[in-house]
Amino acid sequence: MALSTDEENKVREIIEAFTNGKRLSDLPNVSGNNPFNLLCEVLEDGESKKAALATMLPYMEEQCMYGIERDKTVSSRLVTRIGNTALHKSLPVHNRMRGCLLDDDGNVVEYLNPRDWTGHVRDGSRGQVMVEFGDFYCRFETSANIERVKFSLFPLPGYRYVPLMYVSAYEATVQRSTNKLSSVVNTTADYRGGANQADWDTLSKTVLGRPATQISRTNFRTYARNRKAGSTKWNCMTYDVQKMLYWLFVVEYATLNSQEAFNTQLTAEGYRQGGLGDGVTTLDSGKWNTFNGYYPFIPCGYTDELGNGTGEKEYTMPTEYDASSKKVKVCRYRGIENPFGHIWQWTDGINVRINPGSNGLSEVFVCSDPSKFNDSNYNGYSHVGNEARAEGYVKEIIFGESGEIIPALVGGGSTTYFCDYHYTNIPASVALRGVLFGGVASAGASAGLACAASTRAPSHSAAYFGSRLCLKSDTLAVYCGKQFINIWADFCLIRK
């Protein structure tokens, strides 16, 4: 059958279109990143149609995000889960947390058995025992009285990248022969903790294998950086790490109270519930002082049989503390032992300028660039808000656009609002203060992941002041419109 001239022209157009057609992978990258100016093809009721990419974004967030929200006017410590309910069960961001050995160049030597670490060499000869986390995206937002925390594996609009980070699995000790801050299970004299009391080695209050204390934040920073000369990648505990660990816990357990009773059972919906338990917080202060002068007593690695897991393990105090054999529960959060309690933790990357007088301000400055960490000024730091001027249980935190966990207002309780205590004092003249987190072995309900103290200068040390070892990866995310479009195409529109 002969074709008409019009039909022949249409066939030629079809052949030309087919010949000139390109696969998705052959198309050039877009030159802009405004989703309102970008079009995509969608299928509606079996018919192909075009749509502005921006109209699709809210749906993508609901699919690729999980998090929590809270009304700050409500006293409940419980928060509401938001986002993809399936992600609250699978916890993809949280499950990136895993134990490893890290060499001094920041390379992973090996990942540890997720169920039980005790079969691995953890004495420092093969690297530092660390927990890896990060390499995801988060967003902190406020709408009227509602505060939201959102996590995603994808670079959604308005989300910021959380780089790969490493935090010591244990409260840090010091290798005495090199003055290197360390995260190890090692009971030799070279890694003696506390204040290096050799005359205690054969006593029940021995500090062999325990965390190192009686060290200022200034020296903790120095000892951490001794791991790699000329580099600022190794640090003592940082505020960024402390803050992110807190929000990881809150999103996982949907409570602001890290001392909620530990519960191995899931909810009927399949979510985590409870918390990390009391932790090492129930000692009598006077007895602790008499026993060892407030020095640490929990051995590093005591809970390593829990691997990458979360849980608690009972520890019996020596009879020299109390003839009744007092017992405490050592808690662990995804491989991180004693994330609060036992001893205070110095944190770097945060300085507070506390002004005198009843009308003064306690101004909070933070920094994510370790090369700018210092104990004498605020250069390179950003003012993120003002700290509460009074002590008490935390009612509100600064929060803001980066999820700041420094208390902004007290007036809560041990089971309401944030459930943790805030310690501070007002000096007679302007003072630069550091911040300690977590509380101590005698703090009771006051302790927790959000328990904070701005009572001391960074130069101060004490028997119950310790820290952790941290490393921030050099790997950076490339967050731009092109990357977002590629992920959108791969995961939401067209799977190739």
Side-chain angles (χ1 to χ4, degrees):
M1 183 177 82
L3 298 176
S4 67
T5 300
D6 288 343
E7 290 172 332
E8 288 179 355
N9 289 335
K10 289 180 180 179
V11 171
R12 289 191 182 95
E13 290 174 358
I14 292 172
I15 294 173
E16 182 179 3
F18 180 82
T19 301
N20 295 331
K22 295 182 179 180
R23 297 179 181 273
L24 180 63
S25 58
D26 296 329
L27 294 175
N29 290 323
V30 296
S31 58
N33 57 18
N34 184 343
F36 290 94
N37 295 334
L38 301 175
L39 298 178
C40 60
E41 182 182 7
V42 298
L43 193 66
E44 183 179 48
D45 298 327
E47 182 180 354
S48 290
K49 296 181 180 180
K50 67 180 180 181
L53 182 59
T55 63
M56 303 290 106
L57 300 186
Y59 302 101
M60 183 180 183
E61 184 180 33
E62 285 302 308
Q63 293 171 358
C64 302
M65 171 275 292
Y66 67 109
I68 58 94
E69 69 177 21
R70 63 176 293 266
D71 185 335
K72 63 182 183 180
T73 66
V74 176
S75 64
S76 175
R77 64 190 182 276
L78 303 179
V79 296
T80 301
R81 290 181 167 95
I82 59 174
N84 189 331
T85 57
L87 297 181
H88 279 286
K89 300 174 186 178
S90 62
L91 298 168
V93 166
H94 294 75
N95 288 333
R96 292 194 167 191
M97 297 179 70
R98 51 183 177 169
C100 64
L101 298 181
L102 211 62
D103 68 22
D104 285 353
D105 290 323
N107 302 312
V108 174
V109 176
E110 70 173 316
Y111 288 102
L112 306 182
N113 185 329
R115 293 181 178 83
D116 185 346
W117 295 359
T118 57
H120 294 268
V121 176
R122 294 157 291 140
D123 62 5
S125 61
R126 300 196 67 237
Q128 304 306 300
V129 186
M130 310 291 285
V131 172
E132 177 186 271
F133 73 104
D135 191 23
F136 62 89
Y137 298 82
C138 70
R139 182 173 183 174
F140 301 96
E141 62 182 34
T142 303
S143 177
N145 291 321
I146 305 300
E147 296 173 337
R148 299 184 181 92
V149 180
K150 301 177 177 181
F151 292 153
S152 179
L153 295 181
F154 309 114
L156 303 173
Y159 284 60
R160 65 182 183 86
Y161 182 62
V162 178
L164 201 63
M165 294 184 280
Y166 298 86
V167 61
S168 61
Y170 321 123
E171 298 155 306
T173 188
V174 172
Q175 185 179 22
R176 300 298 176 174
S177 61
T178 62
N179 275 341
K180 291 182 178 180
L181 199 62
S182 304
S183 177
V184 297
V185 178
N186 192 316
T187 57
T188 66
D190 198 25
Y191 288 94
R192 189 184 290 115
N196 200 21
Q197 297 100 322
D199 55 330
W200 289 8
D201 285 358
T202 59
L203 305 178
S204 63
K205 62 182 178 181
T206 178
V207 286
L208 291 173
R210 273 64 172 178
T213 59
Q214 198 65 262
I215 300 171
S216 67
R217 188 180 79 172
T218 306
N219 285 339
F220 268 123
R221 182 190 304 128
T222 298
Y223 297 160
R225 294 182 179 180
N226 284 344
R227 299 224 66 85
K228 187 172 177 60
S231 172
T232 60
K233 65 192 311 180
W234 285 101
N235 289 279
C236 63
M237 187 61 168
T238 69
Y239 174 61
D240 280 350
V241 170
Q242 180 72 29
K243 180 171 61 175
M244 194 52 62
L245 289 178
Y246 176 71
W247 290 121
L248 283 164
F249 165 80
V250 171
V251 170
E252 181 170 3
Y253 285 90
T255 178
L256 302 173
N257 183 13
S258 50
Q259 288 187 292
E260 205 87 54
F262 178 65
N263 190 338
T264 60
Q265 301 299 311
L266 301 178
T267 67
E269 299 86 357
Y271 304 143
R272 300 287 199 281
Q273 63 177 326
L276 305 180
D278 289 334
V280 183
T281 65
T282 59
L283 290 197
D284 177 89
S285 179
K287 291 180 180 181
W288 182 19
N289 185 29
T290 300
F291 169 56
N292 72 352
Y294 297 120
Y295 279 95
F297 49 91
I298 300 295
C300 297
Y302 184 73
T303 61
D304 273 1
E305 64 197 60
L306 299 177
N308 294 346
T310 298
E312 54 186 2
K313 181 181 176 182
E314 191 171 81
Y315 178 84
T316 302
M317 294 295 296
T319 55
E320 287 82 356
Y321 166 82
D322 189 327
S324 66
S325 299
K326 164 72 176 177
K327 293 178 173 56
V328 294
K329 294 288 185 68
V330 183
C331 66
R332 187 179 184 95
Y333 179 60
R334 291 186 169 269
I336 301 171
E337 187 172 85
N338 282 325
F340 61 84
H342 192 211
I343 53 176
W344 282 108
Q345 293 185 95
W346 267 126
T347 54
D348 216 344
I350 180 168
N351 290 334
V352 184
R353 181 165 59 202
I354 303 185
N355 296 282
S358 58
N359 295 320
L361 297 175
S362 297
E363 303 163 278
V364 180
F365 295 84
V366 302
C367 178
S368 296
D369 182 354
S371 69
K372 297 176 181 177
F373 289 176
N374 74 85
D375 299 326
S376 59
N377 59 62
Y378 313 93
N379 297 337
Y381 285 61
S382 299
H383 178 232
V384 295
N386 298 321
E387 180 189 23
R389 301 278 284 177
E391 294 191 333
Y393 279 98
V394 182
K395 184 176 182 180
E396 291 184 20
I397 55 175
I398 293 174
F399 197 69
E401 296 181 353
S402 298
E404 313 300 344
I405 60 174
I406 295 298
L409 180 68
V410 296
S414 62
T415 59
T416 58
Y417 296 101
F418 287 85
C419 306
D420 293 343
Y421 207 80
H422 171 240
Y423 299 88
T424 192
N425 54 54
I426 308 303
S429 59
V430 178
L432 187 154
R433 298 274 179 78
V435 180
L436 297 134
F437 277 97
V440 294
S442 57
S446 299
L449 286 170
C451 176
S454 62
T455 55
R456 300 295 183 181
S459 59
H460 190 82
S461 63
Y464 46 85
F465 282 11
S467 193
R468 303 188 95 94
L469 181 64
C470 291
L471 183 139
K472 187 175 182 180
S473 172
D474 293 330
T475 303
L476 298 176
V478 178
Y479 177 30
C480 63
K482 295 177 184 178
Q483 181 189 30
F484 178 79
I485 299 304
N486 289 338
I487 290 178
W488 173 267
D490 287 343
F491 291 91
C492 294
L493 294 179
I494 303 172
R495 282 192 179 271
K496 283 291 184 181

